Amino acid sequence: MPPQPLGQVKALTFDVFGTVVDWRGSLIRAGEALGRALGVTVDWARFADDWRAGYGPAMDRVRRGELPWTRLDALHRMILDDLLVRYNLTFLDEASRVHLNTIWHRLDPWPDSIPGLTRLRSRYIVATLSNGNVALLVHMAKHAGLPWDCILSAELARHYKPNPEVYLKAAELLDLRPEEILMVAAHNGDLAAARSVGFRTAFVARPLEHGPGQSTDLAPDADVDLAATDFLDLADQLL
Amino acid sequence: MPPQPLGQVKALTFDVFGTVVDWRGSLIRAGEALGRALGVTVDWARFADDWRAGYGPAMDRVRRGELPWTRLDALHRMILDDLLVRYNLTFLDEASRVHLNTIWHRLDPWPDSIPGLTRLRSRYIVATLSNGNVALLVHMAKHAGLPWDCILSAELARHYKPNPEVYLKAAELLDLRPEEILMVAAHNGDLAAARSVGFRTAFVARPLEHGPGQSTDLAPDADVDLAATDFLDLADQLL
């Protein structure tokens, strides 16, 4: 049994990119396959990192009101179209661009994600709580076989994490008090934001999310409720 | 293969109360069990019918703006508290009232619902599109083992079916055009509203939803795209 502060937890909400799925490895593999098919040579690891690097600034444009609410698929596409210029890939046709952009719908889970979620689901509601839009998350779940009880997304709050509205909307829709929800993420910033509105927090280490040279989020902040090495360890601690 | 008008369908959205689950039979069985436990005699079939009869007028109060947006759990509770007066059951304590109100979270599916959804899910996104609130639908899915890809609810639009906002919000969140979605319901009014915003429609007969004397929704309107006797027949026609 978990220590008492977690005894009232009824639902687990999961960050997805990096925490549940290996976006970087998946983008590299899918990019390399596309490159072979098209006969082009690209440093897909750098391409993946550059694509992800555009994510924060794109969400900031929404946060500042420079862009109206824009779902993540559309932000990914704006960043992609810029990247294709930088990588001399502007000859790619619309079908190839759509194929590239929807790699984010077909990311592969870390090996422990599905068995861990399956175990956790036996006691808790397990839901996404991602900046990915609903359609992206639904497609990803079908592609990968992720056993979610519920797809929750920043799109439902029309705000991006770590803005508090996202966590509060999740609590409202689950009809739970914040302290009845455990936010699970590989990112201390996401957990700090969830904690600030009253969620419990669990850090799961994903030290290879950003590749072999990762320097951030290697260890949990001191004030997380729980830290786990992967989803199986999380299930061992919670069940 | 389905006839061409349905060839572009990518997602099936399901009405839930009556179409997927047998609310009346479930309420009667749960009421009788509670009655035995408490030693009270109630006509639970009439109680179930009266409870459901309060549903439309309660939603109308939200539609007219007499009530602010109010989730279905809270409308059910308002109707229940009135019913307890009419049935001389005001001695029921808060725990019993909560137990009664959350019967709606534990409704049993029709026998064909789970095998039909499981087959349909192999080709299509299968989602709820119910006036039930998100938490109610999540609890019901876990209780009954309903294999949804996504929980969509009137609560996400903050309007109740058959208002068009509910169907349009579902299309927006699935990132599909209305004609790419097939609304499945046992109620011609729900299907007519979905059709009016461009959805395809499938009628599934549930002639015992309202008990042996049912007089409504025994047959599909002429303009549905498809009519099925149950979810297995629906799968036969669509797969």
Side-chain angles (χ1 to χ4, degrees), chain B residues 189-213:
Chain B
D190 195 353
L191 297 178
R195 188 181 312 114
S196 74
V197 299
F199 280 45
R200 304 297 181 182
T201 56
F203 179 89
V204 176
R206 296 300 190 192
L208 295 174
E209 175 186 355
H210 294 278

Side-chain angles (χ1 to χ4, degrees), chain A residues 69 71 73 120-126 133-136 138-139 141-142 146 148-152 155-156 158 169 171-176, chain B residues 69 71 73 120-126 133-136 138-139 141-142 146 148-152 155-156 158 169 171-176:
Chain A
W69 171 255
R71 63 166 69 96
D73 273 336
L120 290 162
R121 193 184 187 189
S122 68
R123 182 180 297 177
Y124 299 99
I125 292 168
V126 296
N133 45 293
V134 170
L136 181 158
V138 169
H139 293 155
K142 280 186 94 73
L146 296 164
W148 302 118
D149 289 312
C150 186
I151 301 290
L152 298 177
E155 188 181 16
L156 302 178
R158 296 175 85 91
K169 176 59 78 173
E172 175 192 320
L173 293 172
L174 293 173
D175 197 14
L176 293 174
Chain B
W69 170 255
R71 63 165 71 95
D73 273 336
L120 290 162
R121 192 183 187 189
S122 67
R123 181 181 298 177
Y124 300 98
I125 292 168
V126 296
N133 47 293
V134 170
L136 181 158
V138 169
H139 293 155
K142 281 185 94 73
L146 296 164
W148 302 118
D149 289 311
C150 186
I151 301 290
L152 297 176
E155 189 180 16
L156 302 178
R158 297 175 83 89
K169 176 59 80 174
E172 175 192 319
L173 293 172
L174 294 172
D175 197 12
L176 293 174

Side-chain angles (χ1 to χ4, degrees), chain B residues 42-146:
Chain B
V42 172
D43 180 346
W44 289 106
R46 194 162 64 93
F47 192 95
D49 292 335
D50 286 345
W51 205 349
R52 189 62 169 173
Y55 165 73
M59 291 190 296
D60 283 340
R61 294 182 61 195
V62 175
R63 289 196 189 94
R64 286 193 302 262
E66 282 175 36
L67 289 175
W69 170 255
T70 306
R71 63 165 71 95
L72 189 60
D73 273 336
L75 295 181
H76 276 154
R77 177 59 190 262
M78 291 165 52
I79 305 163
L80 173 64
D81 285 337
D82 283 347
L83 274 186
L84 295 180
V85 176
R86 285 166 52 194
Y87 280 78
N88 297 312
L89 293 169
T90 51
F91 63 88
L92 286 185
D93 64 9
E94 179 60 20
S96 295
R97 291 173 192 234
V98 169
H99 175 82
L100 268 171
N101 207 51
T102 53
I103 295 172
W104 294 94
H105 295 213
R106 299 183 300 274
L107 302 176
D108 297 319
W110 300 107
D112 53 281
S113 292
I114 291 175
L117 287 173
T118 302
R119 287 178 57 197
L120 290 162
R121 192 183 187 189
S122 67
R123 181 181 298 177
Y124 300 98
I125 292 168
V126 296
T128 60
L129 189 52
S130 169
N131 281 336
N133 47 293
V134 170
L136 181 158
L137 295 167
V138 169
H139 293 155
M140 181 196 289
K142 281 185 94 73
H143 164 79
L146 296 164

